[in-house]
Amino acid sequence: ILLGDIYNSTTAPACAKIVPCNLELQYETAGSTLNSNTECSLLSVCDPIQRQFQLTVETSTSDRICEVAAGCTFGTHFEFAPFTSTQNTQCRALSECTPLVQYISKRSGLTFDRSCRDLRTCKATEYVSTLATKFSDRGCTAKA
């Protein structure tokens, strides 16, 4: 009931408390207005089982962005550093052994590089008894 310029206290409009978003779990999608409370949405959760890492950090008004970690291309790259909750996988190119000068002494794996060694040079008093391959050194034997 309106009594002049004064509202009757039993019928005056009630004010609701503005509830902010819990920034540990939520971000604000719409600010409060005279007629509505703050609107919040749950933050995305990056799932390490699905190889997700956080690409973009959340703010009070935006969600975090998760991305699936890259895999290294086997045979040309190895995983130098695995993905973490905030960083993508770091891949490096495999070392290249120089043909006719080096051989692969240790093959690469998913998380380590290959190793190269120089081919042995037979001395003047030796002959090549075993030819080198991509994965083995040449053999030298003393001349009789």
Side-chain angles (χ1 to χ4, degrees):
I1 299 174
L2 187 58
L3 303 172
D5 289 6
I6 303 171
Y7 279 98
N8 180 330
S9 63
T10 60
T11 61
C15 295
K17 182 178 179 184
I18 295 174
V19 180
C21 299
N22 175 347
L23 297 180
E24 302 237 349
L25 303 170
Q26 303 170 317
Y27 64 99
E28 185 178 298
T29 53
S32 60
T33 67
L34 291 175
N35 300 318
S36 67
N37 205 340
T38 307
E39 291 181 26
C40 305
S41 291
L42 288 174
L43 287 168
S44 296
V45 176
C46 300
D47 185 353
I49 293 172
Q50 293 183 20
R51 294 183 47 87
Q52 292 180 338
F53 69 99
Q54 182 175 285
L55 179 66
T56 305
V57 177
E58 72 276 1
T59 68
S60 62
T61 58
S62 67
D63 195 7
R64 69 175 54 104
I65 297 175
C66 300
E67 188 168 287
V68 175
C72 300
T73 306
F74 186 73
T76 58
H77 293 80
F78 69 99
E79 186 177 285
F80 176 71
F83 80 96
T84 66
S85 62
T86 58
Q87 184 173 314
N88 199 352
T89 307
Q90 294 180 38
C91 302
R92 286 204 177 156
L94 292 174
S95 296
E96 291 293 329
C97 299
T98 306
L100 306 176
V101 176
Q102 297 177 314
Y103 68 98
I104 298 172
S105 59
K106 180 177 134 190
R107 294 178 192 228
S108 62
L110 294 175
T111 58
F112 56 90
D113 195 8
R114 68 173 57 116
S115 296
C116 303
R117 286 210 174 140
D118 290 341
L119 289 171
R120 180 176 176 189
T121 303
C122 296
K123 299 175 188 171
T125 57
E126 298 174 317
Y127 67 94
V128 176
S129 55
T130 308
L131 293 176
T133 69
K134 184 174 182 177
F135 300 103
S136 66
D137 198 3
R138 71 174 55 100
C140 299
T141 302
K143 293 178 183 176

